[in-house]
Amino acid sequence: MNNRTLVIIAALLLAVLAISSSAFVVKETEKAVLLRFGELVRTDYEPGLYFKIPLVHELRKFDARIQTVDSQPVRMLNSENKFMMVDSYAKFRIFDVSRFYVATRGDERNAVRLLSEQINNRLRNQFGVRDLHEVVSGQRDELMSEITTNLNEVAQTNLGVEVIDVRVKRIDLPPEVSESVFQRMRAGRELEARDHRAKGQEASERIRANADRQVVEIEAEAERKAEELRGEGDATAASIYAAAFSKDPEFYRFTRSLKAYRESFNDRADMLLIEPDSQFFRYLKDAEGERD
């Protein structure tokens, strides 16, 4: 291999190196700026292949997709002079890359920091004129929409980014306040529970008293009906006995005596002290019931 061939190969290698170091591609998900010794010279790049002068031009690329600013929880004061810990986030994307580069010096962390400060300032201003209910549920959507619109205008003008959405992830009370609030809530619930228990006890006593009254009334009514039935039975029995006695008085006296014997001598240990000539034993002495 002669010197001429080496020169050609070296020239080709230098040409390839120059082309590779000067060519660059801008993707659809990127925005790019071209710098010449630190000065912006071009920012209107569309997706495609481009060339730059090595050692003279510097290319900076930025993510053109939607990005998130996740702020740290910040202590804020509402209209009731109560502190809250507000945790928020925002969605943004680069709108004007040249303005973005100038405002942030090409550092996306600066954009996140500046947006986070702007978000917290606007949240603090809005929460300062609203109470806890309004910022939690009552006017939350309206509040977020107003902050997003206002912040977007400022961010496009000052930072070259478009703010798509601002949201509050959660709102908490500071740790030193939470315990006292929970204690008040617990006391309130215990008071409510005692009130419910007292009402339940009152209703229980009322139901029990009503039940006892109904039991007494039912027993009294049953006793009354039993007495009526018993009286009717006794009257019927008496009339039957009377009818039987009128037909055969002697047979009636005989059956009554047998019943008396059966009830008197029900137990072997029973003992009666009666005179021998008593009428009680007349049917034991004579079947006709006549005395000797």
Side-chain angles (χ1 to χ4, degrees):
M1 183 179 293
N2 54 31
N3 293 334
R4 183 178 181 182
T5 303
L6 293 175
V7 171
I8 293 174
I9 293 175
L12 290 175
L13 291 175
L14 290 175
V16 171
L17 182 60
I19 293 173
S20 63
S21 61
S22 62
F24 64 92
V25 176
V26 177
K27 300 178 182 179
E28 293 183 354
T29 58
E30 297 175 333
K31 289 186 177 295
V33 296
L34 188 65
L35 305 175
R36 184 174 57 202
F37 301 115
E39 180 183 358
L40 281 174
V41 293
R42 185 177 179 182
T43 61
D44 57 344
Y45 285 104
E46 297 294 333
L49 177 63
Y50 298 93
F51 295 92
K52 61 183 179 64
I53 302 174
L55 304 178
V56 176
H57 290 155
E58 179 187 358
L59 181 71
R60 297 290 302 276
K61 293 181 181 179
F62 305 98
D63 193 346
R65 294 172 295 184
I66 296 176
Q67 302 180 61
T68 301
V69 178
D70 195 357
S71 302
Q72 294 295 323
V74 179
R75 181 191 292 259
M76 297 183 184
L77 189 67
N78 65 7
S79 62
E80 301 171 309
N81 291 327
K82 295 180 179 179
F83 283 104
M84 301 174 294
M85 299 300 296
V86 181
D87 190 1
S88 63
Y89 73 93
K91 297 290 185 179
F92 77 97
R93 62 187 171 194
I94 298 175
F95 172 73
D96 185 338
V97 66
S98 62
R99 191 174 300 170
F100 175 81
Y101 179 82
V102 173
T104 64
R105 301 308 299 172
D107 190 346
E108 295 181 355
R109 293 175 298 180
N110 290 335
V112 171
R113 178 180 56 80
L114 293 173
L115 276 177
S116 181
E117 292 177 356
Q118 293 290 336
I119 293 170
N120 290 335
N121 288 337
R122 279 158 179 76
L123 286 174
R124 189 174 287 105
N125 292 336
Q126 292 293 337
F127 281 20
V129 295
R130 288 175 170 82
D131 57 26
L132 183 60
H133 173 73
E134 291 174 339
V135 299
V136 170
S137 60
Q139 302 178 3
R140 186 166 182 170
D141 292 338
E142 177 184 349
L143 174 62
M144 294 299 101
S145 178
E146 182 179 347
I147 291 177
T148 301
T149 301
N150 180 267
L151 181 60
N152 183 46
E153 295 176 357
V154 176
Q156 288 188 13
T157 302
N158 297 337
L159 298 177
V161 299
E162 177 187 5
V163 177
I164 299 173
D165 193 16
V166 177
R167 292 291 169 182
V168 172
K169 292 191 292 186
R170 59 184 299 175
I171 299 176
D172 293 325
L173 295 172
E176 64 272 13
V177 179
S178 298
E179 184 62 28
S180 61
V181 172
F182 291 153
Q183 290 296 338
R184 288 198 300 270
M185 292 175 62
R186 186 180 295 110
R189 293 297 180 269
E190 290 177 353
L191 180 62
E192 184 177 355
R194 285 196 297 269
D195 182 62
H196 285 306
R197 281 195 291 269
K199 291 181 179 179
Q201 185 67 24
E202 180 183 356
S204 173
E205 294 295 335
R206 185 167 57 251
I207 293 172
R208 188 177 292 106
N210 186 44
D212 293 341
R213 179 181 58 79
Q214 291 181 4
V215 168
V216 172
E217 292 177 353
I218 292 172
E219 289 179 347
E221 181 65 16
E223 185 67 24
R224 183 184 65 79
K225 289 184 178 181
E227 291 296 333
E228 290 180 355
L229 293 175
R230 191 177 295 110
E232 292 176 359
D234 291 342
T236 301
S239 63
I240 293 173
Y241 289 148
F245 182 76
S246 64
K247 290 182 179 180
D248 192 346
E250 183 60 27
F251 178 74
Y252 176 74
R253 285 194 296 270
F254 177 71
T255 58
R256 293 297 298 271
S257 296
L258 291 180
K259 182 178 180 182
Y261 294 157
R262 186 181 303 110
E263 293 178 353
S264 298
F265 300 107
N266 189 34
D267 192 346
R268 292 183 179 183
D270 292 341
M271 182 180 295
L272 294 176
L273 296 177
I274 302 176
E275 294 181 359
D277 58 349
S278 171
Q279 289 290 328
F280 185 74
F281 294 108
R282 61 181 179 173
Y283 288 105
L284 296 178
K285 298 176 179 181
D286 187 352
E288 299 295 332
E290 297 295 337
R291 295 180 61 183
D292 293 340

